[in-house]
Amino acid sequence: MEIKITKTTSPKAKPADESKLGFGKIFTDHMFLMNYDEGQGWHDARIVPYGPIPMEPSSMCLHYGQADFEGLKAYRTESGRIQLFRPEQNMARMNVSNDRLCIPQIDEKFCVEAIKKLVEVDADWVPHQYGTSLYIRPFIFAIDPMLGVHPAKHLIFCIMCSPVGAYYAAGLAPVKIYVEQNYVRAVTGGTGFTKAAANYAISLKAQEEADKAGYEQVLWLDGVHRKYIEEVGAMNVFFVLDGEVITPSLDRKSILGGITRKSCLEILRHKGYKVTERDLEIDELIKAYDEGKFDEAFGTGTAAVISPIGELKYGDKIMTLNNGEIGPVSQMLYDTLTGIQWGKTEDTFGWTVPVIG
Ligand code: PLP
Ligand code: COI
C-alpha cells in the first residue's frame, strides 16, 4: 500500500530546552492514519498534519473501549543516525492485542515501514540530548457509530510521536513502589497480556491512592491468589535475590510481555548471569529481605527504560533496597541497553533498525 504524504504548512516550534521535555506532553507536526472498513480491509494509508480526528459521539471505542496501543522510541545517535529499537516486536505484539480485542490484524511489516516513514518526515523532532528520544505511539480504536456491543467493522489506526525525556521526574534515581493489596489489574483469561487501553483505565484508582501515599507506582499482585508478583503500571519487574535475577514468568498470561523485559533477559543470559522466569511470591521477597538477601529490584519498559526500585512497601512492611541507590545489575542493564539504543555500544544483537543514516 502506498503512503500518501501531506506536509503541514505551519510547522510548530521545536522544544527549546530538551532537558525539560518530560513525557508525552508535546506532539510532532505529523501523524500517520489508516482506516479499516469491513470488506475493504486497511486502506488509505496517509501521513497528514497532526490534529483532531473527527468522529461520532456514538463511536464504539468511546463506550466499550475497543482500543489498544503500542509504545516504542526513535533514538538519535552521536553520528546523526536515527534508529528504532525492535519495532517489529511492537507490531507483532499489537497483533496479539488485536486478536484478544477482536480488532482486525495489521500488516506488521507495512506498519514498521509506516513508522519509519513518519519518523523520517518528523526527523527534526527527534531530540539530541543523551537520554531523550522520540516516543512513538501507534494505536487503534473502533469508530462504528452504534451502541450494540459487538466487534467493530470500522476502525482507525493512528501513529503519533512525542519528543520525550525521562518518564519519571527522578530520571534514573530509584523509585518508591507500593504493593497493591485492594485492587487487581488482571486475571488469567482477561486482557493483562495485551496493551488494551482499558488495562490502563482500571489501574488509575490504585495509582491515585499510591500517589497520595507518596509512591510513584503500584506493584500488582496476581488477581486470584493475591500473592504472586506481576508487574508495575508501565513496567515489568525484576528482582535480584541472593545473586539470582528473577522476573515473573508470562505463563499466567496476565502480564505484558515487555520488549525491554525480553531484551534484558537476553542481555543477562548473554553475559552469563543466573536468570530465572518463574512465579515469585511477595512472601519470598519479604523473607529474602529479612535474611539480607534482597539485593536489587528494578522495572523495565520503553518509557521508563530501567528504573531502579529504592523502596517497596507491602502493608506495614517497608523494604529499603540497595540504600536507595541504583544497584549493579540495574546499572549494567541501563548502560548496555541505552548504549545500544543511543548508538554508543555496538549492537551485536541486531536490535536497531535505521531510519536515517
Ligand atoms: N507492562 C506494562 C503494563 C506496560 O504498559 C509496559 C509498557 O509498554 C511494560 C510492561 C513494558 O513493556 P515494553 O518493555 O515493551 O515497553
Ligand atoms: C511504554 O513504556 O511504552 C508504555 O506504553 C508506557 C505507557 C503506559 C506510558
Side-chain angles (χ1 to χ4, degrees), residues 107-293:
D107 176 337
E108 294 166 23
K109 281 210 173 80
F110 173 76
C111 290
V112 170
E113 289 310 310
I115 291 170
K116 285 163 81 174
K117 196 39 114 186
L118 180 62
V119 172
E120 200 184 306
V121 169
D122 275 340
D124 289 349
W125 283 90
V126 182
H128 299 75
Q129 240 174 49
Y130 188 61
T132 64
S133 56
L134 187 72
Y135 184 77
I136 303 164
R137 169 55 61 84
F139 59 109
I140 302 180
F141 53 99
I143 55 164
D144 293 32
M146 55 179 62
L147 297 181
V149 181
H150 61 74
K153 296 176 176 154
H154 307 279
L155 301 100
I156 292 178
F157 176 104
C158 179
I159 309 171
M160 61 184 202
C161 302
S162 170
V164 299
Y167 183 64
Y168 294 115
L172 194 58
V175 292
K176 287 169 72 181
I177 293 196
Y178 167 123
V179 182
E180 180 54 56
Q181 290 182 278
N182 295 319
Y183 305 106
V184 299
R185 173 187 177 274
V187 289
T188 301
T191 57
F193 64 103
T194 73
K195 278 183 83 77
N199 288 348
Y200 299 80
I202 63 161
S203 74
L204 297 174
K205 187 82 179 156
Q207 177 66 49
E208 190 178 65
E209 291 181 14
D211 266 354
K212 277 189 201 144
Y215 288 79
E216 267 109 339
Q217 288 263 329
V218 304
L219 176 62
W220 297 102
L221 297 180
D222 78 281
V224 176
H225 313 278
R226 305 284 192 105
K227 64 177 183 183
Y228 297 112
I229 307 280
E230 298 235 300
E231 61 181 324
V232 177
M235 307 189 289
N236 292 110
V237 72
F238 284 71
F239 301 91
V240 188
L241 304 184
D242 204 14
E244 179 188 3
V245 187
I246 306 166
T247 194
S249 88
L250 304 177
D251 293 349
R252 233 190 305 275
K253 288 194 92 179
S254 52
I255 65 174
L256 189 75
I259 294 155
T260 321
R261 172 189 181 279
K262 184 178 185 163
S263 307
C264 287
L265 287 170
E266 289 176 53
I267 293 169
L268 287 162
R269 288 188 176 125
H270 179 74
K271 290 191 184 272
Y273 282 78
K274 187 175 175 210
V275 195
T276 326
E277 293 172 75
R278 64 167 170 88
D279 279 346
L280 178 63
E281 290 186 31
I282 182 70
D283 285 348
E284 189 181 337
L285 287 188
I286 291 169
K287 186 164 174 284
Y289 184 79
D290 289 342
E291 290 172 355
K293 293 178 180 164

Side-chain angles (χ1 to χ4, degrees), residues 53-115:
I53 302 174
M55 59 185 189
E56 306 251 350
S58 54
S59 290
M60 276 187 52
C61 63
L62 300 177
H63 304 269
Y64 308 128
Q66 199 186 1
D68 59 23
F69 72 95
E70 270 303 325
L72 68 158
K73 285 174 172 174
Y75 308 82
R76 188 186 292 278
T77 71
E78 264 169 21
S79 66
R81 186 185 216 215
I82 294 176
Q83 59 188 20
L84 304 171
F85 185 75
R86 311 188 83 176
E88 72 292 343
Q89 297 282 330
N90 291 90
M91 292 302 96
R93 187 171 66 188
M94 192 162 214
N95 266 339
V96 171
S97 302
N98 290 345
D99 178 61
R100 178 64 182 82
L101 295 168
C102 295
I103 290 174
Q105 295 284 293
I106 52 166
D107 176 337
E108 294 166 23
K109 281 210 173 80
F110 173 76
C111 290
V112 170
E113 289 310 310
I115 291 170

